[in-house]
Amino acid sequence: MTTGAGVTERLTSLVSALRAHGIRIGTGESVDAARAVEALGLADRELLREGLAATLLHSPAQRQVFDPVFDLYFPRRAGGPESGPAGRDELRDRIADALAAGDMLRLERLAAEAVEGFGRYGSPGSPGSSGPSSGSDGWSSHQTLDRLRPQTLLARVRDDIRARGGTAGFADRLLEDEIRRRIEEFRRMVASEARRRVAERRGRDEIARRAVATTPDRVDFLLLGKDRLAELRRTVQPLARKLATRLAARRRRASRGTIDLRRTLRGSLSTGGVPMRPVLRGRRPTRPELVLLCDVSGSVAGFSDFTMLLVQALHDQFAKVRVFAFVNRVDEVTGLLVHGAADPEGLGARIGERATLTAWHGSSDYGVALGEFAERYGDAVGPRTTVFVLGDARTNMGDPNLAAVREIAGRARRVYWLNPEQRSRWGTGDSAAPEYAELVEMHECRDARQLGALVTRLLPV
């Protein structure tokens, strides 16, 4: 690996790539990282990885972004494997032997050899083709793993470990779990090696930007899968603590009141008309009320679930919080949300089981739901109430019932609509977003990062 200016360039590029994925890294952290490189050196790559992670990251969740980016800018080596590619069966034998021994360094070398021998595509040098092997268009970890199938080595590795007498401390189930962990680590090494080789050809910065999964708080709510949604739910409490601190600071500033111009000018008569002592209007310390009206149908459900959990975690900031869910019927779910504080992943299922949210079909109907809310739960909205409507405003070609929205807005202190769709899609197809936006303030809210900023700015104090 290069040293001096080359290392400095790699380090600054690493920091830039991490910032592009939403990880906040200041000048102080960058300086600490440079000192870590100077102190640790480049001989032990894993030690360097841990040192840079300790200086640059703020939470364990950021490792899922840091590790693949680190592999791009500080690869194990710049060239290919030390020896020529072996045949498939021979390579599988060596992988099984390394898995049985738990030798991670050897597995890393074998991962590079596997990608070199079986991961090339798009050129005459691909396996099974004629011609030189140096003209590959790219490398694929999926193709490599599909040909080697390391997951099928589990029984063979288990028998090998038993034959060596290496099962001390492992029950059968624990031994298999350990082998699966080693296989999964090998798969990760193959993916990292394929990314590195593609980066050498296309540029590290582009691959770091496009091929590395971002943190869950920057993924669109509408694109979240179950795994990433579960990761996101785990960020609710830390995010709530941060937002509560910001709201408390806003409340302290607001409690000072505004200048009472009339009393200030009257008091300035004793100082020749110079307002030396501004007089502030007294502000009664009252906590506002909050109402959430959430579409929990289809892909919007993840967005609504996360927002409900976040508001529940902030409930101490408000005099009263009431939560209503709807698909084409509306029902209050405040009690279920409180009960679900200890089981956030079960919230959606519990709402679906215990709340009456649908009539004769399962598609969302904003017109019917909003009208039912105004009729049945109108008393939940008053002059101290801020209402948040969560949903994509897609009516399935039904009546949007703008009259119900006007009625709700007329009763409430404020009404905000948070829409998880990007603004360019508002008004396309069956979206009634532009019509609703004429009556209430509508904001694009596509990920948790945007949600946190909106909550800090919009929640009343």
Side-chain angles (χ1 to χ4, degrees), residues 269-286:
L269 295 177
S270 62
T271 56
V274 179
M276 301 294 292
R277 297 184 181 85
V279 180
L280 302 179
R281 291 190 179 94
R283 188 177 186 274
R284 291 185 297 175
T286 58

Side-chain angles (χ1 to χ4, degrees), residues 98-110:
L99 287 170
D103 190 338
M104 293 297 110
L105 290 177
R106 184 151 44 122
L107 281 174
E108 196 168 17
R109 291 194 297 269
L110 291 171

Side-chain angles (χ1 to χ4, degrees), residues 234-272:
R234 288 193 285 271
T235 69
V236 166
Q237 293 300 329
L239 179 59
R241 287 193 294 269
K242 182 186 298 184
L243 297 183
T245 301
R246 293 178 183 174
L247 289 172
R250 284 182 57 199
R251 189 170 287 120
R252 284 194 300 271
R253 290 193 296 268
S255 65
R256 299 168 188 167
T258 58
I259 293 179
D260 188 326
L261 184 60
R262 181 178 179 182
R263 293 171 63 193
T264 299
L265 292 177
R266 182 181 298 172
S268 70
L269 295 177
S270 62
T271 56

Side-chain angles (χ1 to χ4, degrees), residues 86-346:
R88 176 179 178 274
D89 292 339
E90 178 188 347
L91 189 56
R92 278 172 56 87
D93 291 342
R94 293 161 60 193
I95 292 171
D97 186 62
L99 287 170
D103 190 338
M104 293 297 110
L105 290 177
R106 184 151 44 122
L107 281 174
E108 196 168 17
R109 291 194 297 269
L110 291 171
E113 189 170 335
V115 173
E116 173 72 18
F118 300 96
R120 293 175 179 271
Y121 65 86
S123 76
S126 300
S129 300
S130 59
S133 63
S134 59
S136 172
D137 288 341
W139 287 267
S140 167
S141 60
H142 175 78
Q143 177 175 291
T144 304
L145 294 170
D146 184 61
R147 292 178 177 177
L148 291 177
R149 302 181 64 81
Q151 66 273 16
T152 63
L153 297 173
L154 189 148
R156 177 176 171 180
V157 173
R158 180 193 60 208
D159 295 340
D160 193 6
I161 293 176
R162 286 174 176 170
R164 298 180 185 185
T167 59
F170 289 103
D172 285 347
R173 177 62 182 273
L174 292 178
L175 177 60
E176 292 190 2
D177 288 345
E178 172 63 16
I179 296 171
R180 288 191 181 93
R181 186 194 67 77
R182 295 176 186 178
I183 292 174
E184 188 58 34
E185 180 65 15
F186 175 74
R187 294 172 64 89
R188 186 196 68 77
M189 292 174 181
V190 169
S192 174
E193 177 66 15
R195 264 197 309 269
R196 180 188 70 79
R197 289 169 178 266
V198 173
E200 285 184 347
R201 189 178 186 90
R202 300 184 184 177
R204 291 184 179 85
D205 295 340
E206 180 183 356
I207 300 303
R209 185 176 67 254
R210 297 179 180 275
V212 176
T214 189
T215 52
D217 65 326
R218 298 174 69 89
V219 179
D220 278 13
F221 285 116
L222 300 182
L223 302 178
L224 281 170
K226 289 184 178 180
D227 293 342
R228 308 227 69 183
L229 183 57
E231 292 179 40
L232 189 59
R233 288 192 185 104
R234 288 193 285 271
T235 69
V236 166
Q237 293 300 329
L239 179 59
R241 287 193 294 269
K242 182 186 298 184
L243 297 183
T245 301
R246 293 178 183 174
L247 289 172
R250 284 182 57 199
R251 189 170 287 120
R252 284 194 300 271
R253 290 193 296 268
S255 65
R256 299 168 188 167
T258 58
I259 293 179
D260 188 326
L261 184 60
R262 181 178 179 182
R263 293 171 63 193
T264 299
L265 292 177
R266 182 181 298 172
S268 70
L269 295 177
S270 62
T271 56
V274 179
M276 301 294 292
R277 297 184 181 85
V279 180
L280 302 179
R281 291 190 179 94
R283 188 177 186 274
R284 291 185 297 175
T286 58
R287 291 191 302 169
E289 299 175 358
L290 194 65
V291 167
L292 290 186
L293 186 55
C294 311
D295 181 1
V296 294
S297 64
S299 58
V300 186
F303 164 56
S304 295
D305 284 0
F306 180 78
T307 308
M308 285 189 280
L309 291 168
L310 179 61
V311 169
Q312 173 58 29
L314 289 168
H315 71 279
D316 289 340
Q317 303 293 318
F318 307 98
K320 183 187 296 185
V321 177
R322 297 183 68 178
V323 183
F324 301 85
F326 70 88
V327 177
N328 50 64
R329 296 284 306 278
V330 67
D331 201 356
E332 184 167 8
V333 296
T334 308
L336 299 179
L337 187 63
V338 173
H339 176 68
D343 180 23
E345 294 189 19

Side-chain angles (χ1 to χ4, degrees), residues 364-399:
S364 59
D365 191 326
Y366 279 79
V368 172
L370 291 169
E372 185 178 3
F373 175 79
E375 179 180 350
R376 292 179 55 194
Y377 301 105
D379 60 344
V381 182
R384 292 175 53 194
T385 306
T386 296
V387 178
F388 279 84
V389 183
L390 314 178
D392 58 7
R394 292 197 172 271
T395 63
N396 290 299
M397 308 310 294
D399 178 12

Side-chain angles (χ1 to χ4, degrees), residues 66-87:
F66 172 82
D67 284 331
V69 173
F70 174 86
D71 290 337
L72 289 175
Y73 290 100
F74 291 88
R76 179 174 55 83
R77 62 175 177 271
E82 296 172 357
S83 60

